[in-house]
Amino acid sequence: MSKTTLSLYELNQQVKGALQDAFPGSVWVRAEIAELRENRNGHCYLDLVEKDEATDQVIARMRAMIWNYTYRMLKPFFETTTGQPFTQGIKVLIQGIVEFQEVYGLSFTIRDIDPAYTLGDIERRRLEVIRRLESEGVINMNKELPLPLVPQKIAIISSPTAAGYGDFVHQLENNSYGIKFYHKLFPAIVQGQQAPESITAAFDKIYEHIELFDVVVLIRGGGASLDLLCFDDYWLCYNITQFPLPVLTGIGHERDRSVADMVAHSNLKTPTAVAEFLITGAGEVLAAINSYALELKNLVRERLAKHRQKNDRLWIQLKPAARRVMSAQHNHLLRLAGKVPHVSQTVIREQHQHLDQYSKQMGLLPQTIIRQERRNLQEQVTKLRHSLTRIFTHQTEKINFIEKNNRLNDPVNILNKGFTLTYYNGKLTKDAAALTPEMEITTRFRDGSVNSTINKKQ
């Protein structure tokens, strides 16, 4: 019995004909751009995929292309409308023709794109990040940290070449109050796909020397709205919520507010606005201290003036009394001298002794009163100083208690108790049902992490 056979070319022709019959015109397709390449002729080649929403596994894949004359129009149209680059990692709604070539196989030639679909997906992912942080109860954790009274030791996360970084440092170092701020830069990439990982690494470096700083400032210069997409990354924002120091953001956009701005302790529009926030706060404290010092100075002056007036009154009252005593004693001596001439010399000597004693007592009395009042004044100053010391000590103990609670609630402490975290493709996995044999996973311990491959699942 003879077998019916086809050549490969004939088979591909039949497949091509079947596809042309099934898709005679263009179709709209939803997909994610997994890879994108532009060749020197201006053509754009793409690798389109669709992923399972539950497992994030690729369930479909197809090659696609955009001819240069179409790509020159589609790319600027998409980027102008969405405010973000036409690149890999985004979801798109595209119109094109399904084609099959005998040599190159199946492909999809793109002719049009709907930017509104991508905009909706970006906003959807942003809202998903916000809802996830809210459901985990961490979205306001950094906001609840107490801001130091005068934050002077500042850790800066920024690109060293960013104009915003230079403006921020210049503003701090040339403040009108003459306040000294200590700052250190932890360089990071602040835009693009590598930005979240780079910024998170900078936070980790700051954490290694956390006792040296009061706050963390995350800043960047101005730029397009698409540059803000990295600040909507879940893991970056989660890291900010968990950081034990207040985080201040100055990303440099007047209208847009990223998720990182939402979870930070304080968010300002620009780097210079962050600097002004720190300077103004320190200036208000300095003004309050000067005001307290002036009040204390005036209080001391008032007390001294009151005691001086009291001493003057006592001295004025003392002089007539002394004169009256001396006059009475003098008259008494005269009477004794007249009555008893033979003992006058003895009496006179005794009375002169009494007069000398009275004169000394009268001379010492004002000094004694002044010393007593001075001691009273010193006691009042000492009590005031002790009262201020107790207030500052109480506030310091309160701040230490809050910091201790924050450290006890740190997830790192949970890892130190022996618990671990399992990640697949960089995402935290909570259920064994999401894992299958041959998958490569990462297990995080308190002192590091290990990579492993699943051999068996129970």
Side-chain angles (χ1 to χ4, degrees):
M1 181 178 178
S2 62
K3 295 182 180 179
T4 302
T5 62
L6 294 173
S7 69
L8 180 59
Y9 178 75
E10 292 173 336
L11 174 63
N12 284 351
Q13 277 193 319
Q14 291 186 18
V15 172
K16 181 177 181 180
L19 283 175
Q20 288 176 345
D21 293 338
F23 302 100
S26 60
V27 294
W28 285 95
V29 177
R30 301 185 306 273
E32 179 179 330
I33 301 177
E35 187 176 347
L36 183 147
R37 303 179 305 281
E38 299 177 5
N39 71 0
R40 58 187 177 184
N41 294 325
H43 304 309
C44 178
Y45 296 93
L46 307 96
D47 189 11
L48 302 178
V49 298
E50 181 179 352
K51 297 179 180 179
D52 183 88
E53 294 184 359
T55 63
D56 203 39
Q57 296 293 313
V58 175
I59 59 175
R61 183 184 298 270
M62 177 181 288
R63 290 184 295 108
M65 69 173 300
I66 311 174
W67 297 116
N68 60 353
Y69 55 85
T70 304
Y71 189 56
R72 286 197 302 267
M73 294 182 294
L74 285 187
K75 181 179 180 182
F77 167 66
F78 176 86
E79 293 183 346
T80 302
T81 306
T82 63
Q84 79 152 48
F86 186 70
T87 184
Q88 63 190 39
I90 62 173
K91 292 185 177 181
V92 291
L93 178 60
I94 48 181
Q95 183 190 43
I97 298 176
V98 180
E99 293 182 323
F100 186 88
Q101 297 179 355
E102 291 82 352
V103 177
Y104 300 105
L106 184 67
S107 66
F108 188 68
T109 302
I110 299 172
R111 294 183 175 180
D112 199 0
I113 188 168
D114 184 359
Y117 176 81
T118 304
L119 280 173
D121 182 69
I122 292 172
E123 182 61 21
R124 179 186 61 79
R125 285 189 291 179
R126 181 176 182 272
L127 293 176
E128 285 179 355
V129 171
I130 295 173
R131 284 195 292 266
R132 183 175 177 183
L133 293 171
E134 288 176 340
S135 65
E136 293 173 350
V138 300
I139 195 167
N140 292 318
M141 286 186 65
N142 197 261
K143 294 181 182 295
E144 295 170 355
L145 296 177
L147 189 68
L149 189 62
V150 182
Q152 290 181 272
K153 298 175 291 182
I154 304 166
I156 306 172
I157 299 178
S158 176
S159 169
T161 59
Y165 168 65
D167 294 340
F168 176 80
V169 173
H170 180 268
Q171 187 95 344
L172 279 186
E173 295 180 347
N174 296 275
N175 66 86
S176 59
Y177 298 100
I179 299 172
K180 178 65 176 178
F181 290 93
Y182 303 91
H183 55 83
K184 178 172 175 56
L185 173 66
F186 290 83
I189 301 171
V190 290
Q191 66 182 50
Q193 293 183 346
Q194 297 177 346
E197 183 178 356
S198 179
I199 295 172
T200 301
F203 272 110
D204 292 339
K205 291 180 181 178
I206 295 173
Y207 184 78
E208 294 175 0
H209 308 283
I210 196 168
E211 70 281 355
L212 301 179
F213 301 103
D214 297 325
V215 294
V216 178
V217 172
L218 174 58
I219 57 176
R220 63 182 297 279
S225 299
L226 60 89
D227 295 336
L228 283 177
L229 292 179
C230 62
F231 294 98
D232 291 337
D233 180 79
Y234 168 77
W235 288 110
L236 169 59
C237 297
Y238 182 83
N239 195 283
I240 292 176
T241 66
Q242 299 300 300
F243 205 72
L245 291 179
V247 178
L248 282 64
T249 57
I251 295 176
H253 282 264
E254 295 292 335
R255 293 171 299 176
D256 301 308
R257 188 165 183 249
S258 66
V259 180
D261 287 324
M262 296 177 61
V263 301
H265 183 282
S266 302
N267 71 90
L268 290 306
K269 294 297 183 183
T270 62
T272 53
V274 178
E276 187 60 31
F277 173 79
L278 294 171
I279 293 169
T280 302
E284 291 175 354
V285 174
L286 181 62
I289 292 175
N290 291 335
S291 175
Y292 294 147
L294 181 61
E295 290 180 6
L296 180 61
K297 184 178 180 180
N298 292 335
L299 178 62
V300 172
R301 284 179 175 175
E302 290 176 2
R303 293 290 181 89
L304 288 174
K306 289 181 180 179
H307 289 301
R308 190 178 293 112
Q309 292 173 0
K310 183 177 180 180
N311 290 339
D312 291 342
R313 289 195 300 269
L314 291 174
W315 177 249
I316 292 173
Q317 296 173 1
L318 182 62
K319 289 175 67 176
R323 290 194 185 101
R324 288 195 297 271
V325 172
M326 293 178 66
S327 177
Q329 293 297 325
H330 180 69
N331 294 333
H332 181 64
L333 287 173
L334 290 177
R335 289 194 298 270
L336 288 176
K339 294 179 180 180
V340 191
H342 61 281
V343 295
S344 60
Q345 294 298 325
T346 302
V347 174
I348 290 173
R349 284 195 298 270
E350 291 177 355
Q351 294 304 317
H352 273 300
Q353 292 175 357
H354 287 305
L355 286 174
D356 289 339
Q357 293 176 358
Y358 287 139
S359 297
K360 290 178 181 180
Q361 291 175 358
M362 293 302 103
L364 294 175
L365 181 59
Q367 298 178 9
T368 301
I369 294 173
I370 291 173
R371 283 196 300 270
Q372 180 62 36
E373 294 301 327
R374 190 170 292 159
R375 283 194 298 270
N376 292 340
L377 178 60
Q378 185 63 38
E379 289 176 358
Q380 295 298 324
V381 172
T382 301
K383 289 179 180 179
L384 181 59
R385 185 181 294 112
H386 288 167
S387 178
L388 290 175
T389 301
R390 285 194 301 271
I391 293 173
F392 288 136
T393 301
H394 175 71
Q395 293 300 323
T396 301
E397 291 174 350
K398 184 177 179 181
I399 291 173
N400 291 336
F401 176 76
I402 295 174
E403 290 179 348
K404 181 177 179 182
N405 283 342
N406 288 338
R407 288 194 298 270
L408 291 176
N409 292 326
D410 194 331
V412 174
N413 292 330
I414 298 177
L415 291 178
N416 289 334
K417 294 179 179 179
F419 291 95
T420 62
L421 297 175
T422 300
Y423 296 86
Y424 175 69
N425 282 346
K427 295 186 177 181
L428 182 64
T429 301
K430 300 180 179 180
D431 300 312
L435 301 177
T436 60
E438 304 303 325
M439 282 188 176
E440 292 187 359
I441 60 174
T442 301
T443 304
R444 180 179 173 186
F445 297 86
R446 64 179 182 84
D447 56 350
S449 62
V450 296
N451 295 328
S452 59
T453 301
I454 300 174
N455 293 327
K456 183 178 179 181
K457 176 180 174 180
Q458 295 180 349

